[in-house]
Amino acid sequence: MAPFTLAHLSDPHLPPPPKPRLIELAGKRAFGYVNWTRNRHKYQRREVLDALVADVKAQGPDHIAVTGDLVNLALEAEFAPARAWLDGVGPPDRVTTIPGNHDAYVRATFHRFGETFAPYLAGDDGRIGFPSLRRRGPLALISLSTAVPTLPLMATGALGREQLAALEEVLERLATEDVFRVLLVHHPLKSGARHKRMTDSAGLLTLLKRHGVELILHGHDHIHSTMWFEGPNGNIPALGVPSASALAHGRTPAAAYNLFTIEKDNAGWRCEQTVRSLGAGLQIGQIKHVRLI
């Protein structure tokens, strides 16, 4: 059987956001809009995102995972263009997305992500909710949501007790199947930044120590990241990627994505990671290749 390829990109922050109406700039959005106009517009670029997506599609992956932050301020006018962009990435049976904190920026539009991207969120049972389960080839893609509205200057996330309890049920069901389990979550499971962390990551780590998965994919920090967490049969790799629309700036790397090649290896699994990143002249090239499992 041919290896299954899974592409992972995150945090496109579809640029540029539409100009908000004055009434929409109350509270947290005001801070975010000032940040965009003063800083982020310089390095979140649509031409970068388009170049990265073109390269992803040229690699011909079997499936693409997008781990959140498709929009910036969660303005009503942002969601339709973001859906059109995702439709251009691929159809719902070939692309899975989850929300990030920017997709749930304020309570007024908290519901819009689920409504707009429903076909890309739904599990194989057709249900819109988290956790959701999608089976693609040898993969069991388990989607979580840490997207919750927060106060200004905060970018934390949380799963909540109900989602953690439901996740344990999913992991228990999958334990008897020969599948490669991939957990999709926006926030990293460990963060040194208190204002950006997943506040109940300890609960998730406890579940993973007991039940395990083969791979964890996340975004949020806009950096290349590989962390390892304890599982029942060894350590579990957790990988993050830079923003899919970013020019390199300061200590923040240029846009990149991961491509995973997954196949059976005797009684276990083999998973190799290829990192492709933005270079000069909007060219995308390979910068890393490593065996993870």
Side-chain angles (χ1 to χ4, degrees):
M1 182 180 294
F4 189 95
T5 55
L6 173 67
H8 170 223
L9 59 108
S10 195
D11 299 73
H13 290 284
L14 193 66
K19 187 174 182 179
R21 295 174 297 158
L22 186 60
I23 195 173
E24 294 179 303
L25 285 179
K28 185 171 184 174
R29 279 190 182 137
F31 290 90
Y33 187 64
V34 168
N35 187 28
W36 171 265
T37 55
R38 289 185 177 179
N39 299 303
R40 293 181 63 147
H41 77 280
K42 301 173 185 176
Y43 52 80
Q44 303 280 175
R45 307 296 300 178
R46 180 61 186 258
E47 63 269 25
V48 170
L49 180 59
D50 290 345
L52 194 82
V53 170
D55 192 78
V56 172
K57 294 166 76 171
Q59 303 307 309
D62 295 297
H63 201 76
I64 301 171
V66 183
T67 51
D69 278 0
L70 276 67
V71 302
N72 294 280
L73 306 176
L75 298 164
E76 284 285 355
E78 284 187 276
F79 288 96
R83 172 62 191 266
W85 171 78
L86 194 62
D87 287 343
V89 175
D93 63 327
R94 300 290 296 273
V95 179
T96 298
T97 193
I98 59 172
N101 56 295
H102 280 261
D103 303 313
Y105 209 62
V106 294
R107 294 187 184 279
T109 53
F110 177 73
H111 61 292
R112 293 290 283 123
F113 191 89
E115 294 175 350
T116 303
F117 300 102
Y120 293 91
L121 302 172
D124 290 337
D125 59 2
R127 187 178 66 88
I128 307 297
F130 299 98
S132 69
L133 177 62
R134 290 180 147 196
R135 300 170 189 272
R136 300 292 186 268
L139 272 59
L141 295 164
I142 308 162
S143 296
L144 301 178
S145 174
T146 54
V148 292
T150 58
L151 295 173
L153 306 181
M154 297 296 288
T156 52
L159 293 165
R161 292 180 181 178
E162 290 186 7
Q163 191 175 176
L164 284 168
L167 173 62
E168 183 160 32
E169 293 179 3
V170 170
L171 294 177
E172 287 174 346
R173 292 199 308 269
L174 292 175
T176 61
E177 301 183 32
D178 188 19
V179 291
F180 189 93
R181 299 160 297 177
V182 182
L183 194 70
L184 305 178
V185 62
H186 180 69
H187 287 76
L189 278 64
K190 183 178 180 181
S191 176
R194 182 173 177 81
H195 70 290
K196 296 182 66 175
R197 75 194 193 285
M198 186 196 310
T199 58
D200 54 0
S201 61
L204 179 55
L205 290 171
T206 298
L207 286 186
L208 293 175
K209 183 177 180 180
R210 185 183 307 135
H211 300 288
V213 295
E214 279 62 58
L215 181 64
I216 303 165
L217 303 180
H218 69 84
H220 191 54
D221 284 344
H222 296 195
I223 60 172
H224 297 283
S225 174
T226 301
M227 295 183 281
W228 296 83
F229 297 100
E230 186 177 358
N233 301 306
N235 289 334
I236 303 166
L239 290 98
V241 288
S243 164
S245 62
L247 293 169
H249 56 284
R251 297 182 179 180
T252 302
Y257 70 94
N258 288 326
L259 192 66
F260 300 97
T261 304
I262 299 156
E263 61 184 323
K264 288 293 295 183
D265 185 15
N266 297 319
W269 295 96
R270 181 184 183 94
C271 177
E272 297 182 0
Q273 174 202 14
T274 299
V275 183
R276 296 183 62 81
S277 179
L278 179 74
L282 294 181
Q283 297 299 305
I284 309 296
Q286 179 176 318
I287 61 170
K288 179 181 179 181
H289 181 84
V290 64
R291 179 172 177 176
L292 290 172
I293 300 172

